[in-house]
Amino acid sequence: MRRSTGHALLSAALIAGVGSAIAYQASGYVIGLIYGGAMRAYRLGAESNKQPVTDQASGEPDKPKDWARDNFYLGRWKANSTAGRAVVDVLSVEPNRIRWGTPANGICESDYSVKILPWGRNGAFPDQLVPPNEPSDLVFGVARLILFPKPCPTGDAVVQLAVPLDGSNRLAMNTYDSNGKLTDQYPDLTLLR
């Protein structure tokens, strides 16, 4: 009798274990379906963000009114750090072209559309390398330039420019890939005269 009871208990435990394993596996599939759907939606959203902003009528990149005339982002900006000199060297922002790079690390030259971001207040702006450690009155003008019609051979698709509005003629440059991932930061460019 004991043997059959032990055998029955073992069988019941095995059946319960197999049932639990099947339920666990099924829940994994459900979670995978939900996660996969979310990732697919994210990828589709990221792919739709790859297209630069254009003026639908002309097919040209969209820029703010008076971008070519009244603009503190325009000019030639020299990178001062070792990494900046090796990768950026001189950033040239013209009304319709942006250019930077070195022969060793690749040169990017492109037209662009412009998205003006809210001004960075208290000395801070998006993706700042070293945020201020105390309150500040410093305000940054921030613009994102979306390269047009496609990313550069270096993989950069978007350039963020942050200029402190204190008359110091400095600029911070961040670059992003076509999925919006931050690729590089150069916080120490200065305006060439």
Side-chain angles (χ1 to χ4, degrees):
M1 187 75 163
R2 265 187 190 187
R3 193 171 205 193
S4 63
T5 305
H7 193 354
L9 287 174
L10 181 61
S11 295
L14 284 173
I15 291 171
V18 169
S20 294
I22 291 171
Y24 178 76
Q25 186 71 24
S27 69
Y29 284 125
V30 170
I31 291 169
L33 287 171
I34 292 169
Y35 179 75
M39 289 307 297
R40 183 172 186 273
Y42 171 78
R43 281 194 306 274
L44 289 174
E47 288 172 7
S48 68
N49 289 336
K50 289 181 185 178
Q51 299 302 319
V53 179
T54 60
D55 177 357
Q56 296 299 325
S58 68
E60 294 294 316
D62 193 21
K63 296 182 177 74
K65 186 179 180 187
D66 296 328
W67 176 260
R69 291 191 307 272
D70 184 21
N71 188 337
F72 48 78
Y73 302 103
L74 299 180
R76 296 181 68 235
W77 303 87
K78 180 157 184 60
N80 294 304
S81 69
T82 303
R85 287 191 305 271
V87 177
V88 176
D89 191 24
V90 174
L91 170 69
S92 177
V93 184
E94 299 171 4
N96 292 310
R97 299 294 287 170
I98 185 169
R99 183 180 197 279
W100 76 91
T102 63
N105 288 303
I107 294 174
C108 184
E109 184 171 4
S110 179
D111 199 344
Y112 57 88
S113 59
V114 179
K115 180 179 180 183
I116 301 294
L117 300 181
W119 285 18
R121 304 212 179 268
N122 299 318
F125 57 89
D127 293 334
Q128 189 171 3
L129 186 62
V130 180
N133 56 5
E134 56 187 52
S136 169
D137 293 331
L138 187 58
V139 175
F140 283 87
V142 185
R144 286 208 174 147
L145 310 184
I146 300 101
L147 304 184
F148 181 86
K150 61 184 180 179
C152 278
T154 59
D156 297 317
V158 177
V159 177
Q160 176 181 283
L161 305 176
V163 177
L165 305 180
D166 63 354
S168 63
N169 294 323
R170 294 179 297 128
L171 175 135
M173 171 186 174
N174 293 346
T175 57
Y176 305 84
D177 66 14
S178 58
N179 292 320
K181 179 183 174 194
L182 180 68
T183 54
D184 281 304
Q185 296 180 316
Y186 308 99
D188 62 344
L189 283 76
T190 52
L191 186 64
L192 290 172
R193 300 271 177 203

